[in-house]
Amino acid sequence: MFAVLKTGGKQYKVQAGDILRVEKLAAEAGETVQFNEILMVGATVGTPVVSGAGVQAEVIDQIKGEKVIHFVKRRRKHSSKRTKGHRQQLTLVKITEVLENGADKSGVKAAIGAGSVSGVAVAAAKPAAKKAAPKAEAKAEAAADDLTKINGVGPAAAKKLADAGITTFAQLAAVDVDSFDAVKVKADWVEQAKELA
């Protein structure tokens, strides 16, 4: 059975066992991906896609295409020349299976282009556990007071105080001016912090 799939703005007629060079996909070598934009499967033609159909493929390698030379020469008065070269990023895949229906329940990772917005969204969604910690830090920073409201404390001094662990007026009010060595704290800063706390 054959299928016509669409990926990277191009259409390919494929069947099980075919090896294709497609626009770069967000997948590692050895992974199995599924193409969900199927325009035709066997005798079934989609409007515009066949619902429930899919083509599964194994990623063989991430490769580069042949070098393309772009040469521009301007004649007559200016006689300027410019040469540019480019090698397109491609993904080599081997088609393993053509599914006429049930592809939406297969659980295989969707084949998403590496440069597309949705590819970026998928990559951003992966480290969700890592992004939880910065949100907690953002909440702690939101609870912090604006130390630049104190006369003489500018953004640089406020950053030094934050690096030393002082982010609120109450913390600054509790500082002993003589024994605190991390930042040169002035006595009037402590007095103003007591009033603002």
Side-chain angles (χ1 to χ4, degrees), residues 157-182:
K159 186 177 184 312
K160 287 180 183 177
L161 287 169
D163 291 341
I166 298 172
T167 57
T168 63
F169 295 129
Q171 290 172 339
L172 186 57
V175 168
D176 183 21
V177 178
D178 299 326
S179 63
F180 191 72
D181 296 333

Side-chain angles (χ1 to χ4, degrees), residues 50-132:
V50 179
S51 62
V55 173
Q56 293 182 357
E58 181 184 347
V59 176
I60 298 171
D61 198 10
Q62 300 285 353
I63 60 173
K64 286 185 177 182
E66 295 82 29
K67 183 178 248 186
V68 178
I69 303 293
H70 178 223
F71 180 73
V72 177
K73 179 180 179 186
R74 293 182 186 85
R75 300 183 307 158
R76 298 181 178 82
K77 291 182 181 179
H78 305 294
S79 69
S80 67
K81 298 179 194 176
R82 175 180 291 162
T83 304
K84 291 183 185 178
H86 175 71
R87 293 185 71 186
Q88 187 66 35
Q89 300 277 335
L90 302 171
T91 301
L92 200 61
V93 295
K94 181 177 182 179
I95 305 300
T96 55
E97 192 174 0
V98 176
L99 302 170
E100 199 165 354
N101 51 28
D104 47 351
K105 297 173 187 161
S106 68
V108 178
K109 176 182 171 181
I112 299 172
S116 67
V117 175
S118 55
V120 174
V122 168
K126 267 188 179 175
K130 292 180 183 177
K131 290 195 175 186

